[in-house]
Amino acid sequence: MHTATTIRDDQHVQADVRRFAAAPFDGRPVETATDADLDVRLFRTTYLPSFVAAESLEEKNHPVEADLAWLRLTTPGGVPTALGLLSVGRDPSAHVPGAYVQFIRYQGRDLDAPVIDQQELRGNLVATATRLSALLSGHLRTRLTDGEGFREEQLPDYPLEALRETCMNAVMHRNYETSHAPIRITWFDDRIEVTNPGGPYGQVRADNFDRVHDYRNPNLARAMKALGYVNRFGRGIFRIRSAMARAGNPVPEFHVDSSSWTVVLRKWP
């Protein structure tokens, strides 16, 4: 027979279950994961300081379990959420199968061309951003152009700002819940195509995606802003277009359907 205390405890657990079931996917617990799947050192050194000022961290002495739950990386009971795995997980794709980036570089303009580089980035948000920055920078080539006066300037074939914004927006907006496909970065000699699973979400439609904003992964979006991977919400497409225009590249193309987004960035003429 249940005591009154046990009944209250059961009701509390049931309320938690209902609350997490109603949350966006990135806020739900991933029952196959344990706290050992989270990189606690990365959380303490990089993630937590992005949300809390250094002086505040020195003043308080919360156990790490409380901070993880406070920032929704775990449930109050210590089960990692999808946000926790994506942000500071040791191997997010072990529990969220589509949580990785596939990069392929062709020496040519179509899929029949030889492959000169192919990589899979299966790290957490911090590791993926670091590797992406080095990978994309390493494949950029420069050209000489007239600068001010008699000086020449070296310009990359794609503005790094546009590449970074495109890739980070794909990480932020992709469908992690029902698709096991990765984000794909396909680099040809004349263009780069970045495709992520997940069509328009919420208020966003194929005819208003550059004016209306909604978030499939609101917790992940908040984390990415705190970590500095996106500057302001709702400005990604504007920043991509502006960076390409300043560099003299063709206007970027956005192909949106019910199941995916593809951004095509073309090299300067």
Side-chain angles (χ1 to χ4, degrees):
M1 182 174 179
H2 283 292
T3 65
T5 301
T6 303
I7 291 173
R8 284 196 298 271
D9 288 344
D10 286 347
Q11 291 173 339
H12 178 71
V13 170
Q14 291 169 6
D16 278 349
V17 169
R18 287 193 297 271
R19 176 163 59 90
F20 282 110
F25 176 75
D26 64 354
R28 298 178 202 164
V30 179
E31 298 296 345
T32 59
T34 69
D35 57 358
D37 291 300
L38 302 181
D39 187 337
V40 174
R41 180 178 179 277
L42 177 66
F43 171 73
R44 282 175 165 158
T45 60
T46 303
Y47 194 93
L48 183 59
S50 297
F51 286 87
V52 182
E55 56 270 20
S56 298
L57 287 174
E58 293 175 0
E59 292 173 1
K60 72 187 190 70
N61 189 26
H62 288 175
V64 67
E65 294 81 5
D67 286 330
L68 286 165
W70 170 57
L71 288 171
R72 303 180 183 176
L73 304 189
T74 68
T75 67
V79 178
T81 61
L83 174 67
L85 293 169
L86 295 172
S87 301
V88 297
R90 298 185 184 278
D91 180 9
S93 63
H95 301 279
V96 184
Y100 68 102
V101 178
Q102 183 182 76
F103 175 89
I104 186 165
R105 173 73 161 92
Y106 290 96
Q107 190 174 31
R109 298 189 175 192
D110 55 47
L111 298 175
D112 291 331
V115 174
I116 60 176
D117 191 8
Q118 186 170 4
Q119 300 189 36
E120 286 188 354
L121 284 61
R122 290 184 175 269
N124 54 52
L125 180 60
V126 177
T128 295
T130 301
R131 286 190 61 193
L132 261 180
S133 178
L135 179 61
L136 298 175
S137 297
H139 278 274
L140 287 175
R141 299 295 178 263
T142 59
R143 60 178 168 129
L144 288 175
T145 185
D146 292 334
E148 295 182 6
F150 290 101
R151 291 180 298 178
E152 291 183 323
E153 295 180 357
Q154 286 193 337
L155 293 179
D157 43 11
Y158 301 92
L160 187 59
E161 179 185 356
L163 281 174
R164 180 182 63 244
E165 198 75 32
T166 299
C167 294
M168 288 294 97
N169 271 271
V171 170
M172 182 167 64
H173 291 294
R174 68 149 293 161
N175 174 10
Y176 292 97
E177 182 175 8
T178 61
S179 175
H180 294 176
I183 294 167
R184 290 189 175 91
I185 304 172
T186 311
W187 194 312
F188 299 96
D189 282 354
D190 63 335
R191 69 193 186 281
I192 300 170
E193 299 180 359
V194 180
T195 300
N196 61 301
Y201 177 81
Q203 303 178 70
V204 180
R205 304 187 307 270
D207 62 344
N208 69 5
F209 66 89
D210 57 347
R211 305 186 308 277
V212 175
H213 315 293
D214 212 330
Y215 293 91
R216 178 180 277 110
N217 306 303
N219 298 295
L220 182 61
R222 174 171 172 259
M224 292 181 70
K225 187 175 187 302
L227 289 164
Y229 297 133
V230 293
N231 292 311
R232 286 175 58 186
F233 291 146
R235 296 194 65 210
I237 292 174
F238 171 79
R239 288 173 62 86
I240 294 166
R241 286 173 170 164
S242 296
M244 293 287 280
R246 287 195 302 271
N249 290 65
V251 175
E253 302 164 22
F254 298 87
H255 304 288
V256 184
D257 60 36
S258 61
S259 60
S260 67
W261 288 66
T262 297
V263 181
V264 180
L265 306 178
R266 296 192 181 275
K267 193 166 72 171
W268 35 253

